Coordinates of all heavy atoms in Angstrom, one line a residue:
T67 N 95.3 172.7 122.4 CA 94.3 171.7 122.0 C 93.0 172.2 122.7 O 93.0 172.7 123.8 CB 94.6 170.3 122.5 OG1 94.8 170.3 123.9 CG2 95.8 169.8 121.7
P68 N 91.8 171.9 122.1 CA 90.5 172.3 122.7 C 90.2 171.4 123.9 O 90.7 170.3 124.0 CB 89.5 172.0 121.6 CG 90.2 171.1 120.7 CD 91.7 171.3 120.8
A69 N 89.4 172.0 124.8 CA 89.1 171.3 126.0 C 88.1 170.1 125.7 O 87.3 170.3 124.8 CB 88.4 172.2 127.0
I70 N 88.3 169.0 126.3 CA 87.4 167.8 126.1 C 86.8 167.5 127.4 O 87.4 167.5 128.5 CB 88.3 166.6 125.7 CG1 89.0 167.0 124.4 CG2 87.4 165.4 125.5 CD1 90.1 166.0 124.0
N71 N 85.5 167.4 127.4 CA 84.7 167.0 128.6 C 84.4 165.5 128.6 O 83.6 165.1 127.8 CB 83.4 167.8 128.7 CG 83.7 169.3 128.9 OD1 84.6 169.7 129.6 ND2 82.9 170.1 128.2
L72 N 85.1 164.8 129.5 CA 84.8 163.4 129.7 C 84.2 163.1 131.0 O 84.6 163.8 132.0 CB 86.2 162.6 129.6 CG 86.9 162.8 128.2 CD1 88.3 162.1 128.3 CD2 86.1 162.1 127.1
S73 N 83.3 162.2 131.1 CA 82.8 161.8 132.4 C 82.9 160.3 132.5 O 82.8 159.5 131.5 CB 81.3 162.1 132.4 OG 81.1 163.5 132.5
L74 N 83.2 159.8 133.7 CA 83.2 158.4 133.9 C 81.8 157.9 134.0 O 80.8 158.6 134.3 CB 83.9 158.1 135.2 CG 85.4 158.5 135.3 CD1 85.9 158.3 136.7 CD2 86.2 157.7 134.3
P75 N 81.5 156.6 133.6 CA 80.2 156.1 133.6 C 79.6 156.1 135.0 O 80.3 155.9 135.9 CB 80.3 154.7 133.0 CG 81.7 154.4 133.1 CD 82.5 155.6 133.1
Q76 N 78.3 156.3 135.1 CA 77.6 156.3 136.3 C 77.2 154.9 136.7 O 76.5 154.2 135.9 CB 76.4 157.2 136.3 CG 76.7 158.7 136.0 CD 77.5 159.3 137.1 OE1 77.3 159.0 138.3 NE2 78.4 160.2 136.8
P77 N 77.6 154.4 137.8 CA 77.2 153.0 138.2 C 75.7 153.0 138.6 O 75.2 154.0 139.0 CB 78.1 152.7 139.4 CG 78.4 154.1 140.0 CD 78.4 155.0 138.9
P78 N 75.1 151.9 138.4 CA 73.7 151.8 138.8 C 73.6 152.0 140.3 O 74.5 151.6 141.1 CB 73.3 150.4 138.4 CG 74.5 149.6 138.2 CD 75.6 150.6 137.9
P79 N 72.5 152.6 140.8 CA 72.3 152.8 142.2 C 72.2 151.4 142.9 O 71.6 150.5 142.4 CB 71.0 153.6 142.4 CG 70.4 153.5 141.1 CD 71.4 153.1 140.0
S80 N 72.8 151.3 144.1 CA 72.7 150.1 144.9 C 71.4 150.0 145.6 O 70.7 151.0 145.8 CB 73.9 150.0 145.9 OG 73.8 151.0 146.8
D81 N 71.1 148.8 146.0 CA 69.8 148.5 146.7 C 69.8 149.2 148.1 O 68.8 149.4 148.7 CB 69.6 147.0 146.9 CG 69.3 146.4 145.5 OD1 68.8 147.2 144.6 OD2 69.5 145.2 145.4
S82 N 71.0 149.5 148.7 CA 71.1 150.0 150.0 C 70.7 151.5 150.1 O 70.6 152.1 151.1 CB 72.5 149.8 150.5 OG 73.4 150.6 149.8
G83 N 70.5 152.1 148.9 CA 70.0 153.5 148.9 C 71.2 154.4 149.0 O 71.0 155.6 148.8
G84 N 72.4 154.0 149.2 CA 73.6 154.9 149.2 C 74.4 154.8 148.0 O 75.6 154.6 148.0
G85 N 73.7 154.8 146.8 CA 74.4 154.7 145.5 C 75.5 155.7 145.4 O 75.3 156.9 145.7
S86 N 76.6 155.3 144.9 CA 77.8 156.2 144.7 C 77.7 156.8 143.3 O 77.2 156.2 142.4 CB 79.1 155.5 144.9 OG 79.2 154.5 143.9
T87 N 78.2 158.0 143.2 CA 78.3 158.7 141.9 C 79.7 159.0 141.7 O 80.5 159.2 142.6 CB 77.4 160.0 141.9 OG1 77.9 160.9 142.9 CG2 76.0 159.7 142.1
M88 N 80.1 159.1 140.4 CA 81.5 159.5 140.1 C 81.5 160.9 139.6 O 80.6 161.3 138.9 CB 82.0 158.5 139.0 CG 82.1 157.1 139.5 SD 82.7 156.1 138.1 CE 82.6 154.5 138.9
D89 N 82.6 161.6 139.9 CA 82.8 163.0 139.5 C 83.2 163.0 138.0 O 83.9 162.1 137.6 CB 83.8 163.7 140.3 CG 83.3 163.8 141.8 OD1 82.1 163.9 142.0 OD2 84.2 163.9 142.7
P90 N 82.8 164.0 137.3 CA 83.3 164.1 135.9 C 84.8 164.3 135.9 O 85.4 164.9 136.9 CB 82.6 165.4 135.3 CG 81.9 166.0 136.4 CD 81.9 165.1 137.6
V91 N 85.5 163.9 134.9 CA 86.9 164.0 134.8 C 87.2 165.4 134.1 O 86.7 165.8 133.1 CB 87.5 162.9 133.9 CG1 89.0 163.1 133.7 CG2 87.3 161.6 134.5
D92 N 88.1 166.2 134.8 CA 88.5 167.5 134.3 C 89.9 167.3 133.6 O 90.9 167.1 134.3 CB 88.6 168.5 135.4 CG 89.0 169.9 134.9 OD1 89.2 170.1 133.7 OD2 89.2 170.8 135.8
P93 N 89.9 167.3 132.3 CA 91.2 167.0 131.6 C 92.3 168.0 132.0 O 93.5 167.6 132.1 CB 90.9 167.1 130.1 CG 89.4 166.9 130.0 CD 88.8 167.4 131.3
R94 N 92.0 169.3 132.1 CA 93.0 170.3 132.5 C 93.6 169.9 133.9 O 94.8 170.0 134.1 CB 92.4 171.6 132.5 CG 92.1 172.2 131.1 CD 91.6 173.6 131.2 NE 90.9 173.9 130.0 CZ 89.6 174.3 130.0 NH1 88.9 174.5 131.1 NH2 89.0 174.5 128.8
R95 N 92.7 169.6 134.8 CA 93.2 169.3 136.2 C 94.0 168.0 136.1 O 95.1 167.9 136.8 CB 92.0 169.1 137.1 CG 92.4 168.8 138.5 CD 93.1 169.9 139.1 NE 93.6 169.5 140.4 CZ 94.4 170.2 141.1 NH1 94.8 171.4 140.7 NH2 94.9 169.8 142.3
A96 N 93.6 167.0 135.4 CA 94.4 165.8 135.3 C 95.8 166.1 134.7 O 96.8 165.5 135.2 CB 93.7 164.8 134.4
Q97 N 95.8 166.9 133.7 CA 97.1 167.3 133.1 C 98.0 168.0 134.1 O 99.2 167.7 134.2 CB 96.9 168.1 131.8 CG 98.2 168.4 131.1 CD 98.0 169.1 129.8 OE1 97.0 169.0 129.2 NE2 99.0 169.9 129.4
L98 N 97.4 168.9 134.8 CA 98.2 169.7 135.8 C 98.7 168.7 136.9 O 99.9 168.8 137.4 CB 97.3 170.8 136.5 CG 97.0 172.0 135.6 CD1 96.0 172.9 136.3 CD2 98.3 172.7 135.2
D99 N 97.9 167.8 137.3 CA 98.4 166.8 138.3 C 99.5 165.9 137.8 O 100.4 165.6 138.5 CB 97.2 165.9 138.7 CG 96.1 166.6 139.6 OD1 96.4 167.7 140.1 OD2 95.0 166.1 139.7
L100 N 99.5 165.6 136.5 CA 100.5 164.8 135.9 C 101.8 165.6 135.7 O 102.9 165.0 135.7 CB 100.1 164.2 134.5 CG 99.1 163.1 134.6 CD1 98.5 162.8 133.2 CD2 99.7 161.8 135.2
A101 N 101.7 166.9 135.5 CA 102.9 167.7 135.3 C 103.9 167.6 136.4 O 105.1 167.6 136.1 CB 102.4 169.2 135.0
G102 N 103.4 167.5 137.6 CA 104.4 167.4 138.7 C 105.1 166.1 138.7 O 106.3 166.0 139.2
F103 N 104.6 165.1 138.1 CA 105.2 163.8 138.0 C 106.0 163.6 136.8 O 107.1 163.1 136.8 CB 104.1 162.7 138.1 CG 104.5 161.3 138.1 CD1 105.3 160.8 139.1 CD2 104.3 160.5 137.0 CE1 105.7 159.5 139.0 CE2 104.7 159.2 136.9 CZ 105.4 158.7 137.9
L104 N 105.4 164.0 135.6 CA 106.1 163.8 134.3 C 106.8 164.9 133.8 O 107.6 164.8 132.9 CB 105.0 163.4 133.3 CG 104.2 162.1 133.5 CD1 103.1 161.9 132.5 CD2 105.1 160.9 133.5
G105 N 106.5 166.1 134.3 CA 107.1 167.4 133.7 C 106.0 167.9 132.7 O 105.1 167.2 132.2
E106 N 106.1 169.2 132.5 CA 105.0 169.9 131.7 C 104.9 169.3 130.3 O 103.8 169.1 129.8 CB 105.2 171.4 131.7 CG 104.9 172.0 133.0 CD 105.0 173.5 133.0 OE1 104.8 174.1 131.9 OE2 105.3 174.1 134.0
A107 N 106.0 169.2 129.6 CA 105.9 168.8 128.2 C 105.4 167.3 128.1 O 104.6 167.0 127.2 CB 107.3 168.9 127.5
E108 N 106.0 166.5 128.9 CA 105.5 165.1 128.9 C 104.1 164.9 129.3 O 103.3 164.1 128.7 CB 106.4 164.2 129.7 CG 107.8 164.0 129.2 CD 107.8 163.2 127.9 OE1 107.0 162.2 127.8 OE2 108.6 163.5 127.0
A109 N 103.7 165.7 130.3 CA 102.3 165.6 130.7 C 101.3 166.1 129.6 O 100.3 165.4 129.4 CB 102.1 166.5 132.0
A110 N 101.7 167.1 128.9 CA 100.8 167.6 127.8 C 100.8 166.5 126.7 O 99.7 166.3 126.2 CB 101.4 168.9 127.2
S111 N 101.9 166.0 126.3 CA 101.9 164.9 125.3 C 101.1 163.7 125.7 O 100.3 163.2 125.0 CB 103.4 164.5 125.0 OG 103.4 163.5 124.1
F112 N 101.3 163.3 127.0 CA 100.6 162.1 127.5 C 99.1 162.4 127.5 O 98.3 161.5 127.1 CB 101.1 161.7 128.9 CG 100.3 160.6 129.5 CD1 100.6 159.3 129.2 CD2 99.3 160.9 130.4 CE1 99.9 158.3 129.8 CE2 98.6 159.8 131.0 CZ 98.9 158.6 130.7
A113 N 98.7 163.5 128.0 CA 97.3 163.9 128.1 C 96.6 163.9 126.8 O 95.5 163.4 126.6 CB 97.1 165.2 128.9
E114 N 97.3 164.5 125.8 CA 96.7 164.6 124.4 C 96.5 163.2 123.9 O 95.5 162.9 123.3 CB 97.6 165.4 123.5 CG 97.1 165.5 122.1 CD 98.0 166.4 121.2 OE1 99.1 166.8 121.7 OE2 97.6 166.6 120.1
E115 N 97.5 162.3 124.0 CA 97.4 160.9 123.5 C 96.3 160.2 124.2 O 95.5 159.4 123.6 CB 98.7 160.2 123.6 CG 98.7 158.8 123.0 CD 100.0 158.1 123.0 OE1 101.0 158.7 123.4 OE2 100.1 156.9 122.7
L116 N 96.2 160.3 125.6 CA 95.2 159.7 126.3 C 93.8 160.1 126.0 O 92.9 159.2 125.7 CB 95.4 159.9 127.8 CG 94.4 159.3 128.8 CD1 94.4 157.8 128.7 CD2 94.7 159.8 130.2
W117 N 93.6 161.4 125.8 CA 92.2 161.9 125.5 C 91.8 161.4 124.1 O 90.7 161.0 123.9 CB 92.1 163.4 125.6 CG 92.5 164.0 126.9 CD1 93.2 165.1 127.1 CD2 92.1 163.5 128.2 NE1 93.4 165.3 128.5 CE2 92.7 164.3 129.2 CE3 91.4 162.4 128.7 CZ2 92.6 164.1 130.5 CZ3 91.3 162.2 130.0 CH2 91.8 163.0 130.9
T118 N 92.8 161.4 123.2 CA 92.5 160.9 121.8 C 92.1 159.4 121.9 O 91.1 159.0 121.2 CB 93.8 161.1 120.9 OG1 94.1 162.5 120.9 CG2 93.5 160.6 119.5
L119 N 92.8 158.6 122.6 CA 92.5 157.2 122.8 C 91.1 157.0 123.4 O 90.3 156.1 123.0 CB 93.5 156.4 123.5 CG 94.9 156.3 122.8 CD1 95.9 155.7 123.8 CD2 94.7 155.4 121.6
L120 N 90.8 157.8 124.5 CA 89.6 157.7 125.2 C 88.4 158.0 124.3 O 87.3 157.3 124.3 CB 89.5 158.6 126.4 CG 90.4 158.1 127.6 CD1 90.5 159.1 128.7 CD2 89.9 156.8 128.1
I121 N 88.5 159.1 123.5 CA 87.5 159.5 122.6 C 87.3 158.4 121.5 O 86.1 158.0 121.2 CB 87.7 160.8 121.9 CG1 87.6 161.9 123.0 CG2 86.8 161.1 120.7 CD1 88.1 163.3 122.6
D122 N 88.4 157.9 121.0 CA 88.3 156.8 120.0 C 87.6 155.6 120.6 O 86.8 154.9 119.9 CB 89.7 156.5 119.5 CG 89.7 155.6 118.2 OD1 88.7 155.6 117.5 OD2 90.7 154.9 118.0
A123 N 87.9 155.3 121.8 CA 87.3 154.1 122.5 C 85.8 154.3 122.7 O 85.0 153.4 122.5 CB 88.0 153.8 123.8
Q124 N 85.4 155.5 123.0 CA 84.0 155.8 123.2 C 83.2 155.6 121.9 O 82.1 155.2 121.9 CB 83.8 157.2 123.7 CG 84.1 157.4 125.1 CD 83.9 158.9 125.6 OE1 83.8 159.8 124.8 NE2 83.9 159.0 126.9
K125 N 83.9 155.9 120.7 CA 83.2 155.8 119.4 C 83.2 154.4 118.9 O 82.3 154.1 118.1 CB 83.9 156.7 118.4 CG 83.7 158.2 118.7 CD 84.5 159.0 117.7 CE 84.4 160.5 118.0 NZ 85.2 161.3 117.1
S126 N 84.1 153.6 119.3 CA 84.2 152.2 118.8 C 83.2 151.3 119.5 O 82.8 151.5 120.6 CB 85.6 151.6 119.0 OG 85.8 151.3 120.3
Q127 N 82.8 150.3 118.7 CA 81.7 149.4 119.2 C 82.1 148.6 120.4 O 81.4 148.4 121.3 CB 81.3 148.5 118.1 CG 80.1 147.6 118.4 CD 79.7 146.7 117.3 OE1 80.3 146.7 116.2 NE2 78.5 146.1 117.4
G128 N 83.4 148.1 120.4 CA 83.8 147.3 121.5 C 84.5 148.0 122.7 O 84.9 147.4 123.7
G129 N 84.6 149.3 122.5 CA 85.2 150.1 123.6 C 86.7 150.1 123.6 O 87.4 150.6 124.5
I130 N 87.3 149.6 122.5 CA 88.8 149.6 122.3 C 89.1 150.5 121.2 O 88.5 150.5 120.1 CB 89.3 148.2 122.0 CG1 88.9 147.2 123.1 CG2 90.8 148.2 121.8 CD1 89.1 145.7 122.8
P131 N 90.1 151.4 121.5 CA 90.5 152.4 120.4 C 90.9 151.7 119.1 O 91.7 150.7 119.2 CB 91.6 153.2 121.0 CG 91.5 153.0 122.5 CD 90.9 151.7 122.7
R132 N 90.4 152.2 118.0 CA 90.7 151.5 116.7 C 92.2 151.5 116.4 O 92.8 150.6 115.8 CB 90.0 152.2 115.6 CG 88.5 151.8 115.5 CD 87.8 152.6 114.4 NE 87.7 154.0 115.0 CZ 87.5 155.1 114.3 NH1 87.5 155.0 113.0 NH2 87.4 156.2 114.8
V133 N 92.9 152.6 116.9 CA 94.4 152.7 116.7 C 95.1 151.5 117.3 O 96.0 150.9 116.7 CB 94.9 154.0 117.3 CG1 96.4 154.0 117.3 CG2 94.3 155.2 116.6
L134 N 94.7 151.1 118.5 CA 95.3 150.0 119.2 C 94.9 148.6 118.5 O 95.8 147.8 118.4 CB 94.8 149.9 120.7 CG 95.3 151.1 121.6 CD1 94.8 150.9 123.0 CD2 96.8 151.3 121.5
V135 N 93.7 148.5 118.0 CA 93.3 147.3 117.3 C 94.2 147.2 116.0 O 94.7 146.1 115.7 CB 91.8 147.3 117.0 CG1 91.4 146.2 116.1 CG2 91.0 147.3 118.3
E136 N 94.3 148.3 115.3 CA 95.1 148.3 114.1 C 96.6 147.9 114.4 O 97.2 147.2 113.6 CB 95.0 149.6 113.3 CG 93.6 149.8 112.8 CD 93.1 148.7 111.9 OE1 93.9 148.2 111.1 OE2 91.9 148.4 112.0
K137 N 97.1 148.5 115.4 CA 98.5 148.2 115.8 C 98.7 146.7 116.1 O 99.7 146.1 115.6 CB 99.0 149.0 117.0 CG 99.4 150.4 116.7 CD 99.9 151.1 118.0 CE 100.2 152.5 117.7 NZ 100.7 153.2 118.9
K138 N 97.7 146.1 116.8 CA 97.8 144.7 117.1 C 97.7 143.9 115.8 O 98.4 142.9 115.7 CB 96.7 144.3 118.1 CG 96.8 142.9 118.6 CD 98.0 142.7 119.4 CE 98.0 141.3 120.0 NZ 99.2 141.1 120.8
K139 N 96.7 144.2 115.0 CA 96.6 143.5 113.7 C 97.9 143.6 112.9 O 98.3 142.6 112.3 CB 95.4 144.1 112.9 CG 94.1 143.7 113.4 CD 93.0 144.3 112.4 CE 91.6 144.0 112.9 NZ 90.6 144.7 112.0
S140 N 98.5 144.7 112.9 CA 99.7 144.9 112.1 C 100.8 144.0 112.7 O 101.6 143.3 111.9 CB 100.2 146.4 112.2 OG 101.4 146.5 111.6
R141 N 101.0 144.0 114.0 CA 102.0 143.1 114.6 C 101.7 141.6 114.4 O 102.7 140.9 114.0 CB 102.0 143.3 116.2 CG 103.1 144.2 116.6 CD 103.2 144.2 118.1 NE 103.0 145.6 118.5 CZ 102.5 146.0 119.6 NH1 102.2 145.1 120.5 NH2 102.4 147.3 119.9
V142 N 100.5 141.2 114.5 CA 100.2 139.8 114.2 C 100.4 139.5 112.8 O 101.0 138.4 112.4 CB 98.7 139.5 114.6 CG1 98.3 138.1 114.1 CG2 98.5 139.6 116.1
G143 N 100.0 140.4 111.9 CA 100.3 140.2 110.4 C 101.7 140.1 110.1 O 102.1 139.2 109.3
K144 N 102.5 140.9 110.7 CA 104.0 140.9 110.4 C 104.6 139.6 110.9 O 105.4 139.0 110.3 CB 104.7 142.1 111.1 CG 104.5 143.4 110.4 CD 105.2 144.5 111.1 CE 104.8 145.8 110.4 NZ 105.4 147.0 111.1
T145 N 104.2 139.2 112.1 CA 104.7 138.0 112.7 C 104.4 136.8 111.8 O 105.2 135.9 111.5 CB 104.1 137.7 114.1 OG1 104.4 138.9 114.9 CG2 104.7 136.5 114.8
A146 N 103.1 136.7 111.3 CA 102.7 135.6 110.5 C 103.4 135.6 109.2 O 103.8 134.6 108.7 CB 101.2 135.6 110.4
S147 N 103.5 136.8 108.6 CA 104.1 136.9 107.2 C 105.6 136.6 107.2 O 106.1 136.1 106.2 CB 103.8 138.2 106.6 OG 104.5 139.2 107.3
F148 N 106.3 136.8 108.3 CA 107.7 136.6 108.3 C 108.0 135.2 108.8 O 109.2 134.8 108.9 CB 108.5 137.6 109.1 CG 108.5 139.0 108.4 CD1 107.9 140.1 109.0 CD2 109.1 139.1 107.2 CE1 107.9 141.3 108.4 CE2 109.1 140.3 106.6 CZ 108.5 141.4 107.1
G149 N 107.0 134.4 109.3 CA 107.3 133.1 109.7 C 107.9 133.0 111.1 O 108.7 132.2 111.4
W150 N 107.4 133.9 112.0 CA 107.9 133.9 113.4 C 107.0 133.0 114.3 O 105.8 133.1 114.1 CB 108.0 135.3 114.0 CG 109.0 136.1 113.3 CD1 108.9 136.9 112.2 CD2 110.3 136.3 113.8 NE1 110.0 137.5 111.9 CE2 111.0 137.2 112.8 CE3 111.1 135.8 114.8 CZ2 112.3 137.6 113.0 CZ3 112.4 136.2 114.9 CH2 113.0 137.1 114.0
C151 N 107.6 132.3 115.2 CA 106.8 131.5 116.1 C 106.0 132.5 117.0 O 106.6 133.4 117.6 CB 107.7 130.6 116.9 SG 106.8 129.7 118.2
W152 N 104.7 132.3 117.2 CA 103.9 133.3 117.9 C 104.2 133.3 119.4 O 104.0 134.3 120.1 CB 102.4 133.1 117.7 CG 101.9 131.8 118.2 CD1 101.9 130.6 117.5 CD2 101.4 131.5 119.5 NE1 101.4 129.6 118.3 CE2 101.1 130.1 119.5 CE3 101.2 132.3 120.6 CZ2 100.6 129.5 120.7 CZ3 100.6 131.7 121.7 CH2 100.3 130.3 121.8
W153 N 104.7 132.2 120.0 CA 104.9 132.2 121.5 C 106.3 132.4 121.9 O 106.6 132.9 123.0 CB 104.3 130.9 122.1 CG 104.9 129.6 121.6 CD1 104.6 128.9 120.5 CD2 106.0 128.9 122.2 NE1 105.5 127.9 120.3 CE2 106.3 127.8 121.4 CE3 106.8 129.1 123.4 CZ2 107.3 126.9 121.7 CZ3 107.8 128.2 123.7 CH2 108.0 127.1 122.9
C154 N 107.3 132.0 121.1 CA 108.7 132.2 121.5 C 109.4 133.3 120.7 O 110.5 133.6 121.0 CB 109.5 130.9 121.4 SG 109.7 130.3 119.7
R155 N 108.7 133.8 119.7 CA 109.3 134.9 118.8 C 110.5 134.5 118.1 O 111.3 135.3 117.7 CB 109.5 136.2 119.6 CG 108.3 136.6 120.4 CD 108.1 138.1 120.2 NE 107.0 138.6 121.1 CZ 105.8 138.7 120.7 NH1 105.5 138.4 119.5 NH2 104.9 139.2 121.5
A156 N 110.7 133.2 117.8 CA 111.9 132.7 117.1 C 111.4 132.5 115.6 O 110.3 132.1 115.4 CB 112.4 131.4 117.7
P157 N 112.3 132.7 114.7 CA 112.0 132.4 113.3 C 111.8 130.9 113.0 O 112.3 130.1 113.7 CB 113.2 133.0 112.5 CG 114.3 133.0 113.4 CD 113.7 133.2 114.8
W158 N 110.8 130.7 112.0 CA 110.6 129.3 111.7 C 111.9 128.7 111.0 O 112.6 129.4 110.3 CB 109.5 129.2 110.7 CG 108.2 129.5 111.2 CD1 107.4 130.6 110.9 CD2 107.4 128.8 112.1 NE1 106.2 130.6 111.6 CE2 106.2 129.5 112.3 CE3 107.6 127.6 112.8 CZ2 105.2 129.0 113.2 CZ3 106.6 127.1 113.7 CH2 105.4 127.9 113.9
V159 N 112.2 127.5 111.3 CA 113.4 126.9 110.7 C 113.0 126.0 109.6 O 112.0 125.4 109.5 CB 114.1 126.0 111.8 CG1 115.4 125.4 111.3 CG2 114.4 126.9 113.0

């Protein structure tokens, strides 16, 4: 997969003059760090999905990935169309 350059938002400088800055995120380094915890294959899969969601979130107006919004809409639609109670997940009687 091609390299993706993501940066965390820069916070506004504080009045104390010691404004903190955030370092850019290095996707390759993050994936390597995860590999020790998840294993190489799982880290690669996780990193790819994460970067895709982050890019989608950056493009969306509300900052929420469209994929997640659509999944939620689908779940709510299925629950309503089959007559399931929204809070206890029991079918309507």
Side-chain angles (χ1 to χ4, degrees):
T67 58
I70 300 169
N71 294 321
L72 297 174
S73 293
L74 296 174
Q76 298 295 322
S80 65
D81 293 336
S82 65
S86 63
T87 59
M88 296 181 185
D89 294 332
V91 176
D92 180 4
R94 289 187 201 118
R95 180 67 188 168
Q97 183 176 335
L98 288 173
D99 291 342
L100 286 170
F103 179 69
L104 297 174
E106 288 185 28
E108 287 295 321
S111 176
F112 176 81
E114 182 178 2
E115 185 176 353
L116 176 62
W117 303 137
T118 302
L119 289 172
L120 289 172
I121 290 169
D122 193 23
Q124 286 179 343
K125 292 177 182 177
S126 73
Q127 186 176 9
I130 300 172
R132 284 176 286 156
V133 174
L134 297 181
V135 173
E136 294 302 321
K137 280 184 181 180
K138 185 66 175 182
K139 283 182 183 178
S140 174
R141 258 191 240 150
V142 169
K144 286 179 183 176
T145 303
S147 65
F148 290 116
W150 292 87
C151 178
W152 65 272
W153 63 274
C154 69
R155 308 226 185 264
W158 293 110
V159 182

